Amino acid sequence: MSKQDEKTAAHEQRYDTTFKALLDDVTLALLSFLFGEEIIFAQELKESLFKQDTIKPALRVDCAYYIRSRLRELAGTAVGHVEFETVPTSDIGARLYEYAAMLHHKYLMTIVQVLVCPFETSALPRSPLQLKWGEEVHSEHRYRVVALWQYEASRLVEQEQVELYALLPT
């Protein structure tokens, strides 16, 4: 890894760490905001995913939780995966697909994903990721994209969501 790549990775990791710390402090409120529905239960999963039969390093998800939603309470528990990307790359959809497949394989549960992009970017990812052969879609992977810079800060203030005020600068 070049010195510039190391600096960029360290810079991006700092933001990941900050968002993870915020998530630890106001878990249900922030997960509800990110998933777009009221999350009534969350239990963190400390997660490193290992690919079978490989010597590559483990994939590390930013945040994963067992979650239950008030809206889908009868559907039971799912695994909620939150990934923070300060500078999304063109492969983010494929990485989310890979994370989802590995999490599903491990937990045999529905995986619900949110990609959080805190800063303005011209390369905002779009869901769903579609794998096609010709015009035929063979596989489709959906995830929610939360572009924080597109939210009106005044809405959080009006709704008195004090626990989310730390997001206002983004």
Side-chain angles (χ1 to χ4, degrees):
M1 185 181 281
S2 73
K3 291 243 185 239
Q4 182 59 37
D5 289 343
E6 288 174 6
K7 285 181 185 177
T8 301
H11 180 72
E12 291 172 12
Q13 188 63 36
R14 183 178 65 212
Y15 288 115
D16 285 1
T17 303
T18 301
F19 280 109
K20 289 177 206 173
L22 177 62
L23 196 49
D24 286 343
D25 289 342
V26 291
T27 305
L28 291 178
L30 190 52
L31 287 177
S32 295
F33 174 77
L34 295 176
F35 283 100
E37 57 189 86
E38 185 183 2
I39 301 300
I40 57 174
F41 168 81
Q43 178 186 344
E44 186 175 13
L45 301 167
K46 297 290 186 186
E47 200 53 69
S48 288
L49 299 169
F50 295 94
K51 297 180 186 182
Q52 292 183 337
D53 304 321
T54 184
I55 57 173
K56 290 183 179 180
L59 293 173
R60 291 171 65 152
V61 300
D62 285 343
C63 300
Y65 295 85
Y66 286 121
I67 60 171
R68 272 197 305 276
S69 158
R70 182 165 316 284
L71 181 65
R72 303 167 207 271
E73 200 166 1
L74 295 177
T77 303
V79 172
H81 168 216
V82 180
E83 195 68 23
F84 299 102
E85 284 292 320
T86 54
V87 183
T89 58
S90 60
D91 74 333
I92 188 63
R95 277 196 300 126
L96 289 171
Y97 186 57
E98 183 176 21
Y99 289 149
M102 293 176 77
L103 286 165
H104 176 72
H105 185 247
K106 183 172 184 174
Y107 294 101
L108 298 176
M109 299 178 82
T110 296
I111 309 303
V112 184
Q113 292 179 302
V114 175
L115 174 64
V116 181
C117 300
F119 307 117
E120 190 167 356
T121 176
S122 60
L124 187 64
R126 302 235 185 271
S127 178
L129 169 70
Q130 291 186 329
L131 304 180
K132 292 182 174 183
W133 190 17
E135 292 301 312
E136 185 179 353
V137 176
H138 282 259
S139 187
E140 185 170 271
H141 179 65
R142 297 183 180 281
Y143 53 93
R144 180 179 167 93
V145 177
V146 176
L148 291 179
W149 80 88
Q150 293 179 342
Y151 283 84
E152 290 295 324
S154 59
R155 287 184 57 207
L156 291 179
V157 175
E158 287 169 5
Q159 296 169 353
E160 298 181 359
Q161 291 184 287
V162 177
E163 56 278 336
L164 301 181
Y165 283 7
L167 296 177
L168 294 179
T170 64

Coordinates of all heavy atoms in Angstrom, one line a residue, residues 78-156:
A78 N -34.1 -9.8 12.3 CA -33.2 -9.8 11.1 C -31.8 -9.4 11.6 O -31.7 -8.9 12.7 CB -33.8 -8.9 10.1
V79 N -30.9 -9.5 10.7 CA -29.6 -8.9 10.9 C -29.5 -7.6 10.2 O -29.7 -7.6 8.9 CB -28.4 -9.9 10.5 CG1 -27.1 -9.2 10.5 CG2 -28.4 -11.1 11.3
G80 N -29.3 -6.5 10.9 CA -29.1 -5.2 10.3 C -27.6 -4.9 10.2 O -26.9 -5.0 11.1
H81 N -27.2 -4.6 9.0 CA -25.8 -4.3 8.7 C -25.7 -2.8 8.2 O -26.4 -2.4 7.3 CB -25.3 -5.2 7.6 CG -24.0 -4.8 7.0 ND1 -23.6 -5.0 5.7 CD2 -22.9 -4.3 7.6 CE1 -22.4 -4.6 5.5 NE2 -21.9 -4.1 6.6
V82 N -24.9 -2.0 8.9 CA -24.6 -0.6 8.6 C -23.2 -0.5 8.1 O -22.3 -0.9 8.8 CB -24.9 0.3 9.8 CG1 -24.7 1.8 9.4 CG2 -26.3 0.1 10.3
E83 N -23.0 0.1 6.9 CA -21.7 0.3 6.4 C -21.5 1.8 6.1 O -22.4 2.4 5.5 CB -21.5 -0.5 5.0 CG -20.2 -0.7 4.6 CD -19.3 -1.6 5.4 OE1 -19.8 -2.4 6.2 OE2 -18.1 -1.4 5.4
F84 N -20.5 2.4 6.6 CA -20.2 3.8 6.4 C -19.1 3.9 5.3 O -18.1 3.2 5.3 CB -19.6 4.4 7.7 CG -20.5 4.3 8.9 CD1 -20.4 3.3 9.9 CD2 -21.6 5.2 9.0 CE1 -21.3 3.2 10.9 CE2 -22.5 5.1 10.1 CZ -22.3 4.1 11.0
E85 N -19.4 4.8 4.4 CA -18.5 5.1 3.3 C -18.3 6.6 3.1 O -19.2 7.2 2.7 CB -19.0 4.4 2.0 CG -18.8 3.0 1.9 CD -17.3 2.5 1.8 OE1 -16.5 3.2 1.1 OE2 -17.0 1.5 2.5
T86 N -17.1 7.1 3.4 CA -16.9 8.5 3.2 C -16.6 8.8 1.7 O -17.0 9.9 1.2 CB -15.7 9.0 4.1 OG1 -14.6 8.2 3.8 CG2 -16.1 9.0 5.5
V87 N -16.0 7.9 1.1 CA -15.7 8.0 -0.4 C -16.1 6.7 -1.0 O -15.3 5.8 -1.2 CB -14.2 8.3 -0.6 CG1 -14.0 8.5 -2.1 CG2 -13.8 9.5 0.2
P88 N -17.4 6.5 -1.4 CA -17.8 5.3 -2.0 C -17.1 5.0 -3.3 O -16.9 5.9 -4.1 CB -19.3 5.4 -2.3 CG -19.7 6.8 -1.8 CD -18.5 7.5 -1.3
T89 N -16.7 3.7 -3.5 CA -16.1 3.3 -4.8 C -17.1 2.5 -5.6 O -18.1 2.1 -5.1 CB -14.9 2.4 -4.4 OG1 -15.3 1.3 -3.7 CG2 -13.8 3.2 -3.7
S90 N -16.7 2.3 -6.8 CA -17.6 1.6 -7.8 C -18.0 0.2 -7.3 O -18.9 -0.4 -7.8 CB -17.1 1.6 -9.2 OG -15.8 0.9 -9.2
D91 N -17.2 -0.4 -6.5 CA -17.4 -1.8 -6.1 C -18.3 -1.9 -4.8 O -18.5 -3.1 -4.3 CB -16.1 -2.5 -5.9 CG -15.3 -2.2 -4.6 OD1 -15.5 -1.0 -4.1 OD2 -14.6 -3.0 -4.1
I92 N -18.8 -0.8 -4.3 CA -19.5 -0.9 -3.0 C -20.7 -1.8 -3.1 O -21.0 -2.6 -2.2 CB -19.9 0.5 -2.5 CG1 -20.5 0.4 -1.0 CG2 -20.8 1.2 -3.4 CD1 -19.5 -0.2 0.0
G93 N -21.5 -1.8 -4.2 CA -22.6 -2.7 -4.3 C -22.2 -4.2 -4.3 O -22.9 -5.0 -3.6
A94 N -21.1 -4.5 -4.9 CA -20.6 -5.9 -4.9 C -20.2 -6.3 -3.5 O -20.4 -7.4 -3.0 CB -19.5 -6.1 -5.9
R95 N -19.5 -5.3 -2.8 CA -19.1 -5.6 -1.4 C -20.3 -5.8 -0.5 O -20.3 -6.8 0.3 CB -18.2 -4.5 -0.9 CG -16.8 -4.6 -1.3 CD -15.8 -3.8 -0.5 NE -16.1 -2.4 -0.6 CZ -16.3 -1.6 0.5 NH1 -16.2 -2.0 1.7 NH2 -16.6 -0.3 0.3
L96 N -21.3 -5.0 -0.6 CA -22.5 -5.2 0.2 C -23.2 -6.5 -0.1 O -23.6 -7.2 0.8 CB -23.5 -4.1 0.0 CG -23.1 -2.7 0.6 CD1 -24.0 -1.6 0.1 CD2 -23.0 -2.8 2.1
Y97 N -23.2 -6.9 -1.4 CA -23.7 -8.2 -1.8 C -22.9 -9.3 -1.1 O -23.5 -10.3 -0.6 CB -23.7 -8.3 -3.3 CG -24.3 -9.5 -3.9 CD1 -25.7 -9.8 -3.7 CD2 -23.6 -10.3 -4.8 CE1 -26.3 -10.8 -4.4 CE2 -24.2 -11.3 -5.5 CZ -25.5 -11.6 -5.2 OH -26.1 -12.7 -5.9
E98 N -21.6 -9.2 -1.1 CA -20.7 -10.2 -0.5 C -21.0 -10.3 1.0 O -21.1 -11.4 1.6 CB -19.3 -9.9 -0.8 CG -18.3 -10.9 -0.3 CD -16.9 -10.6 -0.7 OE1 -16.6 -9.4 -1.1 OE2 -16.0 -11.5 -0.7
Y99 N -21.0 -9.1 1.7 CA -21.3 -9.1 3.1 C -22.6 -9.8 3.4 O -22.7 -10.6 4.3 CB -21.3 -7.7 3.6 CG -20.0 -6.9 3.7 CD1 -20.0 -5.6 3.6 CD2 -18.8 -7.6 4.0 CE1 -18.8 -4.9 3.6 CE2 -17.6 -6.9 4.0 CZ -17.6 -5.5 3.9 OH -16.4 -4.8 4.0
A100 N -23.6 -9.4 2.6 CA -25.0 -10.0 2.9 C -25.0 -11.5 2.7 O -25.6 -12.2 3.5 CB -26.0 -9.3 1.9
A101 N -24.3 -12.0 1.7 CA -24.3 -13.4 1.5 C -23.6 -14.1 2.6 O -24.0 -15.2 3.1 CB -23.6 -13.8 0.1
M102 N -22.5 -13.6 3.1 CA -21.7 -14.2 4.1 C -22.5 -14.1 5.5 O -22.5 -15.1 6.3 CB -20.3 -13.6 4.2 CG -19.5 -13.9 3.0 SD -17.9 -13.1 3.0 CE -17.0 -14.2 4.1
L103 N -23.1 -13.0 5.7 CA -23.9 -12.9 7.0 C -25.1 -13.8 6.9 O -25.4 -14.5 7.9 CB -24.4 -11.4 7.2 CG -23.3 -10.4 7.6 CD1 -23.8 -9.0 7.4 CD2 -22.9 -10.6 9.0
H104 N -25.7 -13.9 5.8 CA -26.9 -14.9 5.7 C -26.4 -16.3 5.9 O -27.0 -17.1 6.6 CB -27.5 -14.7 4.3 CG -28.6 -15.7 4.1 ND1 -29.8 -15.7 4.8 CD2 -28.7 -16.8 3.4 CE1 -30.6 -16.7 4.4 NE2 -29.9 -17.4 3.6
H105 N -25.3 -16.6 5.3 CA -24.7 -18.0 5.4 C -24.4 -18.3 6.9 O -24.7 -19.4 7.4 CB -23.5 -18.2 4.6 CG -22.9 -19.5 4.6 ND1 -21.7 -19.9 5.1 CD2 -23.4 -20.7 4.1 CE1 -21.5 -21.2 5.0 NE2 -22.5 -21.7 4.3
K106 N -23.9 -17.3 7.6 CA -23.6 -17.5 9.0 C -24.8 -17.6 9.9 O -24.9 -18.4 10.8 CB -22.6 -16.4 9.5 CG -22.2 -16.6 10.9 CD -21.1 -15.6 11.2 CE -20.6 -15.9 12.7 NZ -19.4 -15.0 13.0
Y107 N -25.8 -16.7 9.7 CA -26.9 -16.6 10.6 C -28.2 -17.2 10.1 O -29.2 -17.3 10.9 CB -27.1 -15.1 11.0 CG -26.0 -14.5 11.8 CD1 -25.0 -13.7 11.2 CD2 -25.8 -14.8 13.1 CE1 -24.0 -13.2 11.9 CE2 -24.8 -14.3 13.9 CZ -23.8 -13.5 13.3 OH -22.8 -13.1 14.0
L108 N -28.3 -17.5 8.8 CA -29.5 -18.0 8.2 C -30.7 -17.1 8.5 O -31.8 -17.6 8.9 CB -29.7 -19.5 8.6 CG -28.6 -20.4 8.2 CD1 -28.9 -21.8 8.7 CD2 -28.5 -20.4 6.7
M109 N -30.5 -15.8 8.4 CA -31.6 -14.9 8.6 C -31.6 -13.8 7.5 O -30.6 -13.7 6.7 CB -31.3 -14.1 9.9 CG -31.2 -15.0 11.2 SD -30.8 -14.0 12.6 CE -32.5 -13.4 13.0
T110 N -32.7 -13.1 7.4 CA -32.7 -12.0 6.5 C -31.7 -10.9 6.9 O -31.6 -10.6 8.0 CB -34.1 -11.4 6.5 OG1 -35.1 -12.4 6.0 CG2 -34.2 -10.1 5.6
I111 N -31.0 -10.4 5.9 CA -30.0 -9.4 6.1 C -30.5 -8.1 5.5 O -30.9 -8.0 4.3 CB -28.7 -9.7 5.4 CG1 -28.2 -11.1 5.8 CG2 -27.6 -8.7 5.7 CD1 -28.0 -11.4 7.3
V112 N -30.6 -7.0 6.3 CA -31.1 -5.7 5.9 C -29.9 -4.8 6.0 O -29.2 -4.7 7.0 CB -32.2 -5.2 6.8 CG1 -32.8 -3.9 6.3 CG2 -33.3 -6.3 6.9
Q113 N -29.6 -4.1 4.9 CA -28.4 -3.3 4.8 C -28.7 -1.8 4.6 O -29.6 -1.5 3.8 CB -27.4 -3.8 3.8 CG -26.9 -5.1 4.1 CD -26.0 -5.6 2.9 OE1 -26.4 -5.7 1.8 NE2 -24.7 -5.9 3.3
V114 N -27.8 -1.0 5.2 CA -27.8 0.5 5.0 C -26.4 0.9 4.7 O -25.5 0.6 5.4 CB -28.3 1.2 6.2 CG1 -28.2 2.7 6.0 CG2 -29.8 0.8 6.5
L115 N -26.3 1.7 3.6 CA -25.0 2.3 3.3 C -25.1 3.7 3.6 O -26.0 4.4 3.1 CB -24.7 2.1 1.8 CG -23.5 2.8 1.2 CD1 -22.2 2.3 1.9 CD2 -23.4 2.8 -0.3
V116 N -24.3 4.2 4.5 CA -24.3 5.6 5.0 C -23.2 6.4 4.3 O -22.0 6.0 4.5 CB -24.2 5.7 6.5 CG1 -24.2 7.1 7.0 CG2 -25.3 4.9 7.2
C117 N -23.5 7.4 3.6 CA -22.6 8.3 2.9 C -22.7 9.7 3.6 O -23.7 10.4 3.3 CB -22.8 8.3 1.4 SG -22.7 6.7 0.6
P118 N -21.8 10.0 4.5 CA -22.0 11.3 5.2 C -21.7 12.5 4.4 O -22.2 13.6 4.7 CB -21.0 11.1 6.4 CG -20.0 10.1 6.0 CD -20.7 9.2 5.0
F119 N -20.8 12.4 3.4 CA -20.4 13.6 2.7 C -20.8 13.6 1.3 O -20.9 12.5 0.7 CB -18.8 13.8 2.8 CG -18.4 13.7 4.3 CD1 -17.5 12.7 4.7 CD2 -18.8 14.6 5.2 CE1 -17.1 12.6 6.0 CE2 -18.4 14.6 6.5 CZ -17.5 13.5 6.9
E120 N -20.9 14.7 0.7 CA -21.4 14.9 -0.7 C -20.4 14.2 -1.6 O -19.2 14.3 -1.5 CB -21.5 16.3 -1.1 CG -22.2 16.5 -2.4 CD -22.6 17.9 -2.6 OE1 -22.5 18.8 -1.8 OE2 -23.1 18.2 -3.8
T121 N -21.0 13.4 -2.6 CA -20.1 12.7 -3.5 C -20.9 12.7 -4.9 O -22.1 12.7 -4.9 CB -19.8 11.3 -3.1 OG1 -19.1 10.6 -4.1 CG2 -21.1 10.5 -2.8
S122 N -20.2 12.7 -5.9 CA -20.8 12.6 -7.3 C -21.0 11.2 -7.6 O -21.7 10.9 -8.6 CB -19.9 13.3 -8.3 OG -18.7 12.7 -8.4
A123 N -20.5 10.3 -6.8 CA -20.6 8.8 -7.1 C -21.4 8.1 -6.1 O -21.1 7.1 -5.5 CB -19.2 8.2 -7.1
L124 N -22.6 8.7 -5.8 CA -23.5 8.1 -4.9 C -24.1 6.8 -5.4 O -24.6 6.7 -6.5 CB -24.7 9.0 -4.6 CG -25.6 8.6 -3.5 CD1 -24.9 8.5 -2.1 CD2 -26.8 9.5 -3.4
P125 N -23.8 5.7 -4.7 CA -24.3 4.3 -5.2 C -25.8 4.3 -5.2 O -26.5 5.0 -4.5 CB -23.8 3.4 -4.1 CG -22.7 4.1 -3.4 CD -23.0 5.6 -3.5
R126 N -26.3 3.4 -6.1 CA -27.7 3.3 -6.3 C -28.1 1.8 -6.1 O -27.4 0.9 -6.6 CB -28.2 3.7 -7.7 CG -27.8 5.1 -8.0 CD -29.1 5.9 -8.5 NE -28.7 7.2 -8.9 CZ -28.7 8.3 -8.0 NH1 -29.0 8.1 -6.8 NH2 -28.5 9.5 -8.5
S127 N -29.2 1.6 -5.3 CA -29.7 0.2 -5.1 C -30.8 0.0 -6.1 O -31.5 1.0 -6.5 CB -30.2 0.1 -3.7 OG -30.8 -1.1 -3.5
P128 N -31.0 -1.1 -6.6 CA -30.4 -2.4 -6.3 C -29.2 -2.7 -7.2 O -29.1 -2.1 -8.3 CB -31.5 -3.4 -6.6 CG -32.3 -2.9 -7.7 CD -32.2 -1.4 -7.5
L129 N -28.4 -3.6 -6.8 CA -27.3 -4.2 -7.6 C -28.0 -5.3 -8.4 O -28.6 -6.2 -7.8 CB -26.2 -4.7 -6.7 CG -25.2 -5.6 -7.4 CD1 -24.3 -4.8 -8.4 CD2 -24.3 -6.4 -6.5
Q130 N -27.9 -5.3 -9.7 CA -28.5 -6.3 -10.5 C -27.4 -7.1 -11.2 O -26.5 -6.5 -11.8 CB -29.4 -5.8 -11.5 CG -30.7 -5.2 -10.9 CD -31.7 -4.8 -11.9 OE1 -31.3 -4.3 -13.0 NE2 -33.0 -4.9 -11.6
L131 N -27.5 -8.4 -11.2 CA -26.6 -9.2 -11.9 C -27.4 -9.8 -13.1 O -28.3 -10.5 -12.9 CB -26.0 -10.4 -11.1 CG -25.3 -9.9 -9.8 CD1 -24.8 -11.1 -9.0 CD2 -24.2 -9.0 -10.1
K132 N -27.0 -9.4 -14.3 CA -27.7 -9.7 -15.5 C -26.9 -10.6 -16.5 O -25.7 -10.5 -16.5 CB -28.1 -8.5 -16.3 CG -29.1 -7.6 -15.6 CD -29.4 -6.4 -16.5 CE -30.5 -5.5 -15.9 NZ -30.8 -4.4 -16.8
W133 N -27.6 -11.4 -17.2 CA -27.0 -12.1 -18.4 C -27.9 -11.6 -19.5 O -29.1 -12.0 -19.6 CB -27.1 -13.6 -18.2 CG -26.3 -14.3 -19.2 CD1 -25.3 -13.8 -20.0 CD2 -26.4 -15.7 -19.5 NE1 -24.8 -14.8 -20.8 CE2 -25.5 -16.0 -20.5 CE3 -27.2 -16.7 -19.0 CZ2 -25.3 -17.2 -21.1 CZ3 -27.0 -18.0 -19.6 CH2 -26.1 -18.2 -20.6
G134 N -27.3 -10.8 -20.3 CA -28.1 -10.1 -21.4 C -29.1 -9.2 -20.7 O -28.7 -8.4 -19.8
E135 N -30.4 -9.3 -21.0 CA -31.4 -8.4 -20.3 C -32.0 -9.1 -19.1 O -32.7 -8.5 -18.4 CB -32.5 -8.1 -21.3 CG -32.0 -7.2 -22.4 CD -31.4 -5.8 -21.9 OE1 -32.1 -5.2 -21.1 OE2 -30.3 -5.4 -22.3
E136 N -31.7 -10.4 -18.9 CA -32.3 -11.2 -17.9 C -31.6 -10.9 -16.5 O -30.4 -11.1 -16.4 CB -32.3 -12.7 -18.2 CG -33.0 -13.5 -17.2 CD -33.0 -15.0 -17.6 OE1 -32.6 -15.3 -18.7 OE2 -33.5 -15.8 -16.7
V137 N -32.4 -10.5 -15.5 CA -31.8 -10.3 -14.2 C -31.8 -11.7 -13.5 O -32.8 -12.3 -13.3 CB -32.7 -9.3 -13.4 CG1 -32.1 -9.2 -11.9 CG2 -32.7 -8.0 -14.0
H138 N -30.6 -12.1 -13.1 CA -30.4 -13.4 -12.4 C -30.4 -13.2 -10.9 O -30.7 -14.2 -10.2 CB -29.1 -14.1 -12.9 CG -29.3 -14.7 -14.2 ND1 -29.6 -16.1 -14.4 CD2 -29.4 -14.2 -15.5 CE1 -29.8 -16.4 -15.7 NE2 -29.7 -15.3 -16.4
S139 N -29.9 -12.1 -10.5 CA -29.9 -11.9 -9.0 C -30.0 -10.4 -8.8 O -29.5 -9.6 -9.6 CB -28.6 -12.4 -8.5 OG -28.5 -12.3 -7.1
E140 N -30.6 -10.0 -7.7 CA -30.8 -8.6 -7.4 C -30.6 -8.4 -5.9 O -31.1 -9.2 -5.1 CB -32.2 -8.2 -7.8 CG -32.5 -6.7 -7.6 CD -33.8 -6.3 -8.2 OE1 -33.8 -5.9 -9.4 OE2 -34.8 -6.3 -7.5
H141 N -29.8 -7.4 -5.5 CA -29.5 -7.2 -4.1 C -29.9 -5.8 -3.8 O -29.4 -4.8 -4.4 CB -28.0 -7.4 -3.8 CG -27.7 -7.1 -2.4 ND1 -28.2 -7.9 -1.4 CD2 -26.9 -6.2 -1.8 CE1 -27.7 -7.4 -0.2 NE2 -27.0 -6.4 -0.5
R142 N -30.8 -5.6 -2.8 CA -31.3 -4.3 -2.4 C -30.6 -3.9 -1.1 O -30.4 -4.7 -0.2 CB -32.8 -4.4 -2.2 CG -33.5 -4.7 -3.5 CD -35.0 -4.6 -3.3 NE -35.7 -4.9 -4.5 CZ -35.9 -4.1 -5.5 NH1 -35.5 -2.8 -5.4 NH2 -36.5 -4.4 -6.6
Y143 N -30.4 -2.6 -1.0 CA -29.9 -2.0 0.2 C -30.3 -0.5 0.2 O -30.7 0.0 -0.8 CB -28.3 -2.1 0.3 CG -27.6 -1.6 -0.9 CD1 -27.2 -0.2 -1.0 CD2 -27.3 -2.4 -2.0 CE1 -26.5 0.2 -2.1 CE2 -26.7 -1.9 -3.1 CZ -26.3 -0.6 -3.1 OH -25.6 -0.1 -4.2
R144 N -30.4 0.0 1.4 CA -30.8 1.4 1.6 C -29.6 2.3 1.5 O -28.6 2.0 2.2 CB -31.6 1.6 2.9 CG -32.1 2.9 3.2 CD -32.8 2.9 4.5 NE -33.1 4.2 5.0 CZ -34.2 4.9 4.8 NH1 -35.2 4.3 4.1 NH2 -34.4 6.1 5.3
V145 N -29.6 3.4 0.8 CA -28.6 4.4 0.8 C -29.0 5.6 1.5 O -30.1 6.2 1.2 CB -28.2 4.8 -0.7 CG1 -27.1 5.8 -0.7 CG2 -27.7 3.5 -1.4
V146 N -28.2 6.0 2.5 CA -28.5 7.2 3.3 C -27.4 8.2 3.0 O -26.3 8.0 3.5 CB -28.7 6.9 4.8 CG1 -28.9 8.2 5.6 CG2 -29.8 5.9 5.1
A147 N -27.7 9.2 2.3 CA -26.8 10.3 1.9 C -27.1 11.4 2.9 O -28.0 12.2 2.7 CB -27.0 10.8 0.5
L148 N -26.3 11.5 4.0 CA -26.6 12.4 5.1 C -26.7 13.9 4.6 O -27.5 14.7 5.1 CB -25.6 12.3 6.2 CG -25.7 11.0 7.0 CD1 -24.6 10.9 8.0 CD2 -27.1 10.8 7.6
W149 N -25.9 14.3 3.6 CA -25.9 15.7 3.2 C -27.2 16.1 2.5 O -27.4 17.3 2.4 CB -24.7 15.9 2.3 CG -24.9 15.5 0.9 CD1 -25.4 16.2 -0.1 CD2 -24.5 14.2 0.3 NE1 -25.4 15.5 -1.3 CE2 -24.9 14.2 -1.0 CE3 -23.9 13.1 0.8 CZ2 -24.7 13.2 -1.9 CZ3 -23.8 12.0 0.0 CH2 -24.2 12.0 -1.3
Q150 N -28.0 15.1 2.1 CA -29.2 15.4 1.5 C -30.4 15.7 2.5 O -31.5 16.1 2.1 CB -29.6 14.3 0.5 CG -28.7 14.2 -0.6 CD -29.0 13.0 -1.6 OE1 -29.7 12.1 -1.2 NE2 -28.5 13.1 -2.8
Y151 N -30.2 15.4 3.8 CA -31.2 15.6 4.8 C -31.2 17.0 5.3 O -30.2 17.6 5.4 CB -31.0 14.6 5.9 CG -31.4 13.2 5.6 CD1 -30.6 12.3 4.9 CD2 -32.7 12.8 5.9 CE1 -31.0 11.0 4.6 CE2 -33.1 11.5 5.6 CZ -32.2 10.6 4.9 OH -32.6 9.4 4.6
E152 N -32.4 17.5 5.5 CA -32.5 18.9 6.1 C -32.3 18.8 7.6 O -33.0 18.1 8.3 CB -33.9 19.4 5.8 CG -34.1 19.8 4.4 CD -33.2 20.9 3.9 OE1 -32.9 21.8 4.7 OE2 -32.8 20.9 2.7
A153 N -31.2 19.5 8.1 CA -30.9 19.4 9.5 C -32.1 20.0 10.3 O -32.3 19.5 11.4 CB -29.7 20.3 9.8
S154 N -32.8 20.9 9.7 CA -34.0 21.5 10.5 C -35.0 20.5 10.8 O -35.7 20.6 11.8 CB -34.6 22.6 9.7 OG -35.0 22.1 8.4
R155 N -35.1 19.4 10.0 CA -36.1 18.4 10.3 C -35.8 17.7 11.7 O -36.7 17.3 12.4 CB -36.2 17.3 9.2 CG -36.9 17.9 8.0 CD -37.1 16.9 6.9 NE -37.8 15.7 7.3 CZ -37.7 14.5 6.8 NH1 -36.8 14.3 5.8 NH2 -38.4 13.5 7.2
L156 N -34.5 17.4 11.9 CA -34.1 16.7 13.2 C -34.4 17.7 14.3 O -34.8 17.2 15.4 CB -32.6 16.4 13.1 CG -32.2 15.2 12.2 CD1 -30.7 15.0 12.3 CD2 -32.9 14.0 12.5

